[in-house]
Each structure stands twice: as structure tokens, then as C-alpha cells.
Amino acid sequence: MGKSIYKVRPSDYWRIGEHENWFEEMAAEGLHLKKLGKVFATFEKGEPKQMKYRIDISIDRKISEDQLDMYAESEWEYVTRDKFFYVFSSPVELNAPELHTDSAEQSYTIEKLDNKIAGNAFFTGVATILMIGMLSAIWFLEGTPVYVLIEGWAIQQTILAAFIGYTAYTSLRASISIRGLRKNLLEGKPINRHASWTKRDRRRSAFAVVFAIVIGLSAVIPIVQLAKNKTETLPEENIDLPIVRLADIEQNPDLIRDGPVYMDDGVDWGNRYTFKWGPFAPVQYETNEGGLVPGKMWSDGSGRYSPSVHTKVYQLTIPAMADSLITDLMKWYQYEEDKEDYVEMNHHNLDRLIVYEEADMKKIFASKGKGVIFVLYYGDADTNTIVDEIEKELFRLN
């Protein structure tokens, strides 16, 4: 028994003439087909030989013993199969007659395959359209695609949708090709058994390798996100994280932490920090922190003074994305306010600074290099104090 040689199959499986031509060229080089896989074909190394190969189609995935015997009597030996495609070979010198001498009759053997592939193309096409619709809503419904990209919610799903879309495209091409082949056979045009496979094969192989790498890498993203994501109660004392703390904003020694409002999994979600990872922002923090100053009331007399701060912190992989991220954060956190009330300010140490103030609420968006910070603060501290704290943390991110 000769040595087994594995080769990537050329072109697409439905291109019958190209496959037959490829098998014959391999046989002429001493590689004789033994098995067909999804991606690879297995050959046995031997003496170069002039062979003819023919592919017959059976949608029922089983050719009867009577039919195999009939082919054998005509000097066609069964070699292997892949799904609906049965491969037969015969040495050229035997001058075996064709499996199908009547093209019109042969066209009927692929009618069921034509219908099946068309059905596959339809369903994968519908699935692709639905997935595109759902993903478009995630990416564009709020008009914040850069924010969605940085947060990394939908990257893997989008690449998966691209794979399904590619599958739909492949099914459509298969359907069109098989239908064209059937039409040609009905018109008496035989299969082109000398169709070249080399050019299309190289292009397809290069695309398949790149696509496989992207799909493989994308599968790692949710695993890393899950492994790195953590949420913990924010300690009252300072910790070595690049986040803006309520105590630093308030600068009031009487500030204390009130009791937890909502506890889940042992985390005080009113005083918590969450670390997240994404390929475009490997360092992300989101925090909530609230406090209470005993004996102090809100300026409008509405109750005890209880300031709070919500922050989002990003260290970007690509600093050039900072401007777009700030623009999207503004859209994401803009509620009923007028856009004109968001004031862009000049700051000698920051690349970008945008401030919104309304009564006791302040929203501040700032960037420096690869760092971006958003702060939503309720309290009576002045804007400059908050900006100073943001500036300190942005320098830590760079």
C-alpha cells in the first residue's frame, strides 16, 4: 500500500468537471484518489497512470448494488463519495463508455440535488437577512457604532453572521451552478471535463485561509471577555485604579457611604466597579458610587444631600478612535437635553473636553491620547474640580 498524501480539494464541490479534471491530473502524477473529505482529499502514492474519473450524483446518498454492478461491467470502479457525489475511475486504455450517454437523462439525476441546494440557499439567505437586521439594530439603532465596537458586545456575533452570510453566498452559487449544469445537460451540452481548477483554487484557498483565521480569532474574544470580566464592591478607601472617586470630587471629610440599596452576588451595585476587556479597549472600567453628608440638605431642600457619580473609563488600542467614542458616548447618555447645551471647552492638557450642566447634574466627556473618561455626577461640586480629577486619571491611562 502506497503512502497517503493529503491535498486541499480544489474549487467548490459542485464543480463536477473541475474535480474530475483534478483527479485525472493527480493520477498522471502518481497520486490516486482514495477518499474525499470536506476540505482534504486523500491520495495513495503510486505509479503515474492515465485515468478517467467520473462523478455521479445520487441525492438519496446511496447508489444501488445493481447500479454499481452495471458500472463495474462497463469498467468503472467505485472509488469514494462525498455526500451526494460518487466518484468512479477507469484506466484510459480500457476506453470505458460514459456513465451517462444521454445528457438529457443525466440532467434528471441532478434535479433533486438542484431543488435541495436551492432550498438550502433560500433558508440560509433568510437567516442571513434576519441576522443582519438584528445586528444592524445593535450597531446603528442608537447611532453609536464606535461605542458598540469599543464595548465589544457584538464583534463575535458580527463575524459569525459574516460566516453564515458566506455560507448563504456559497449555497446560492452552488444553486446557480447546478441549475446551469442541469440546463446545459437538457440542451445536450456535456459536462466540461477539462475545466481548469488552478486559478479559482488559489483565490479560494487564500480567501478560506484568511477567513478561517478571522473566525478562529473571533471565537477567542468572548472567552477572554468572560475570563477577564469582573464586578466587585468598590472599597471606601482609595484603590489603585484609574477611576474618578466621589470623595475626590466632594472633598468633604463628612462624606460617608450610605447603606447598600441593591445587593446581588455579594456586590453592592450602588458602589461597584466593573472591569471589562475588549480588543479595541483592553482596559475598561464602569463604576457607580454614592454617598451621604449627614446634616446637609440639597440646595432645593428636596432631602438629605446624597451625591453620586457614575463613570466609564477606556484605554483604547487605537487612540484615533477617542473622538468618535466621545461623540457616541454623548449620544448614548443624551436624554431630553438639547445637543447645543453640550459645551466643548478648551483645556491645555486634554485633547477634548465636553461639559453639560443642569442644576445639580453634570456630564463631562474628556479624552487624552488613548484615554477616554465619561463622568455623570449628581452633587454640588464645581465642574473644574471634576475635570481636575478626570485629568489625573487620563494621565494614568497614557
Side-chain angles (χ1 to χ4, degrees), residues 86-97:
Y86 286 71
V87 184
F88 297 85
S89 69
S90 179
V92 170
E93 64 268 20
L94 294 180
N95 197 25

PDB file of all heavy atoms in Angstrom, residues 86-97:
ATOM      1  N   TYR A  86     -20.667  10.590  -6.035  1.00  0.00           N
ATOM      2  CA  TYR A  86     -19.977   9.305  -6.078  1.00  0.00           C
ATOM      3  C   TYR A  86     -18.908   9.383  -7.159  1.00  0.00           C
ATOM      4  O   TYR A  86     -19.183   9.816  -8.288  1.00  0.00           O
ATOM      5  CB  TYR A  86     -20.960   8.173  -6.404  1.00  0.00           C
ATOM      6  CG  TYR A  86     -21.859   7.809  -5.237  1.00  0.00           C
ATOM      7  CD1 TYR A  86     -22.864   8.656  -4.814  1.00  0.00           C
ATOM      8  CD2 TYR A  86     -21.675   6.606  -4.558  1.00  0.00           C
ATOM      9  CE1 TYR A  86     -23.671   8.317  -3.740  1.00  0.00           C
ATOM     10  CE2 TYR A  86     -22.488   6.263  -3.482  1.00  0.00           C
ATOM     11  CZ  TYR A  86     -23.485   7.120  -3.081  1.00  0.00           C
ATOM     12  OH  TYR A  86     -24.277   6.799  -2.025  1.00  0.00           O
ATOM     13  N   VAL A  87     -17.689   8.943  -6.823  1.00  0.00           N
ATOM     14  CA  VAL A  87     -16.568   9.039  -7.755  1.00  0.00           C
ATOM     15  C   VAL A  87     -16.222   7.649  -8.273  1.00  0.00           C
ATOM     16  O   VAL A  87     -16.086   6.696  -7.489  1.00  0.00           O
ATOM     17  CB  VAL A  87     -15.336   9.661  -7.069  1.00  0.00           C
ATOM     18  CG1 VAL A  87     -14.202   9.843  -8.087  1.00  0.00           C
ATOM     19  CG2 VAL A  87     -15.701  11.007  -6.436  1.00  0.00           C
ATOM     20  N   PHE A  88     -16.083   7.552  -9.595  1.00  0.00           N
ATOM     21  CA  PHE A  88     -15.701   6.301 -10.254  1.00  0.00           C
ATOM     22  C   PHE A  88     -14.463   6.565 -11.100  1.00  0.00           C
ATOM     23  O   PHE A  88     -14.259   7.690 -11.585  1.00  0.00           O
ATOM     24  CB  PHE A  88     -16.834   5.786 -11.150  1.00  0.00           C
ATOM     25  CG  PHE A  88     -18.088   5.443 -10.383  1.00  0.00           C
ATOM     26  CD1 PHE A  88     -19.029   6.429 -10.068  1.00  0.00           C
ATOM     27  CD2 PHE A  88     -18.320   4.131  -9.976  1.00  0.00           C
ATOM     28  CE1 PHE A  88     -20.177   6.104  -9.363  1.00  0.00           C
ATOM     29  CE2 PHE A  88     -19.468   3.810  -9.274  1.00  0.00           C
ATOM     30  CZ  PHE A  88     -20.397   4.797  -8.962  1.00  0.00           C
ATOM     31  N   SER A  89     -13.654   5.538 -11.259  1.00  0.00           N
ATOM     32  CA  SER A  89     -12.441   5.691 -12.078  1.00  0.00           C
ATOM     33  C   SER A  89     -12.327   4.530 -13.060  1.00  0.00           C
ATOM     34  O   SER A  89     -12.895   3.444 -12.843  1.00  0.00           O
ATOM     35  CB  SER A  89     -11.186   5.737 -11.186  1.00  0.00           C
ATOM     36  OG  SER A  89     -10.955   4.466 -10.590  1.00  0.00           O
ATOM     37  N   SER A  90     -11.569   4.806 -14.113  1.00  0.00           N
ATOM     38  CA  SER A  90     -11.318   3.761 -15.123  1.00  0.00           C
ATOM     39  C   SER A  90     -10.041   4.119 -15.875  1.00  0.00           C
ATOM     40  O   SER A  90      -9.846   5.273 -16.270  1.00  0.00           O
ATOM     41  CB  SER A  90     -12.502   3.687 -16.104  1.00  0.00           C
ATOM     42  OG  SER A  90     -12.253   2.696 -17.085  1.00  0.00           O
ATOM     43  N   PRO A  91      -9.132   3.154 -16.069  1.00  0.00           N
ATOM     44  CA  PRO A  91      -7.920   3.433 -16.851  1.00  0.00           C
ATOM     45  C   PRO A  91      -8.289   3.862 -18.275  1.00  0.00           C
ATOM     46  O   PRO A  91      -9.231   3.323 -18.870  1.00  0.00           O
ATOM     47  CB  PRO A  91      -7.181   2.090 -16.851  1.00  0.00           C
ATOM     48  CG  PRO A  91      -7.709   1.367 -15.642  1.00  0.00           C
ATOM     49  CD  PRO A  91      -9.143   1.783 -15.526  1.00  0.00           C
ATOM     50  N   VAL A  92      -7.550   4.831 -18.791  1.00  0.00           N
ATOM     51  CA  VAL A  92      -7.858   5.379 -20.109  1.00  0.00           C
ATOM     52  C   VAL A  92      -7.840   4.285 -21.183  1.00  0.00           C
ATOM     53  O   VAL A  92      -8.670   4.264 -22.101  1.00  0.00           O
ATOM     54  CB  VAL A  92      -6.845   6.496 -20.457  1.00  0.00           C
ATOM     55  CG1 VAL A  92      -6.978   6.911 -21.931  1.00  0.00           C
ATOM     56  CG2 VAL A  92      -7.069   7.707 -19.547  1.00  0.00           C
ATOM     57  N   GLU A  93      -6.861   3.337 -21.057  1.00  0.00           N
ATOM     58  CA  GLU A  93      -6.704   2.339 -22.120  1.00  0.00           C
ATOM     59  C   GLU A  93      -7.910   1.406 -22.255  1.00  0.00           C
ATOM     60  O   GLU A  93      -8.093   0.770 -23.293  1.00  0.00           O
ATOM     61  CB  GLU A  93      -5.429   1.490 -21.887  1.00  0.00           C
ATOM     62  CG  GLU A  93      -5.444   0.647 -20.642  1.00  0.00           C
ATOM     63  CD  GLU A  93      -4.839   1.351 -19.443  1.00  0.00           C
ATOM     64  OE1 GLU A  93      -4.760   2.603 -19.479  1.00  0.00           O
ATOM     65  OE2 GLU A  93      -4.439   0.681 -18.470  1.00  0.00           O
ATOM     66  N   LEU A  94      -8.747   1.358 -21.205  1.00  0.00           N
ATOM     67  CA  LEU A  94      -9.937   0.494 -21.297  1.00  0.00           C
ATOM     68  C   LEU A  94     -11.037   1.141 -22.128  1.00  0.00           C
ATOM     69  O   LEU A  94     -11.979   0.466 -22.561  1.00  0.00           O
ATOM     70  CB  LEU A  94     -10.471   0.185 -19.887  1.00  0.00           C
ATOM     71  CG  LEU A  94      -9.558  -0.648 -18.993  1.00  0.00           C
ATOM     72  CD1 LEU A  94     -10.210  -0.891 -17.630  1.00  0.00           C
ATOM     73  CD2 LEU A  94      -9.236  -1.993 -19.656  1.00  0.00           C
ATOM     74  N   ASN A  95     -10.893   2.454 -22.336  1.00  0.00           N
ATOM     75  CA  ASN A  95     -11.868   3.183 -23.169  1.00  0.00           C
ATOM     76  C   ASN A  95     -13.312   2.883 -22.730  1.00  0.00           C
ATOM     77  O   ASN A  95     -14.195   2.556 -23.543  1.00  0.00           O
ATOM     78  CB  ASN A  95     -11.685   2.809 -24.646  1.00  0.00           C
ATOM     79  CG  ASN A  95     -12.365   3.822 -25.565  1.00  0.00           C
ATOM     80  OD1 ASN A  95     -12.550   4.985 -25.175  1.00  0.00           O
ATOM     81  ND2 ASN A  95     -12.763   3.374 -26.745  1.00  0.00           N
ATOM     82  N   ALA A  96     -13.530   3.011 -21.422  1.00  0.00           N
ATOM     83  CA  ALA A  96     -14.855   2.707 -20.871  1.00  0.00           C
ATOM     84  C   ALA A  96     -15.894   3.694 -21.394  1.00  0.00           C
ATOM     85  O   ALA A  96     -15.600   4.878 -21.567  1.00  0.00           O
ATOM     86  CB  ALA A  96     -14.796   2.770 -19.342  1.00  0.00           C
ATOM     87  N   PRO A  97     -17.087   3.231 -21.662  1.00  0.00           N
ATOM     88  CA  PRO A  97     -18.154   4.152 -22.106  1.00  0.00           C
ATOM     89  C   PRO A  97     -18.564   5.077 -20.962  1.00  0.00           C
ATOM     90  O   PRO A  97     -18.364   4.768 -19.785  1.00  0.00           O
ATOM     91  CB  PRO A  97     -19.299   3.195 -22.470  1.00  0.00           C
ATOM     92  CG  PRO A  97     -19.069   1.993 -21.632  1.00  0.00           C
ATOM     93  CD  PRO A  97     -17.583   1.838 -21.514  1.00  0.00           C
TER      94      PRO A  97
END
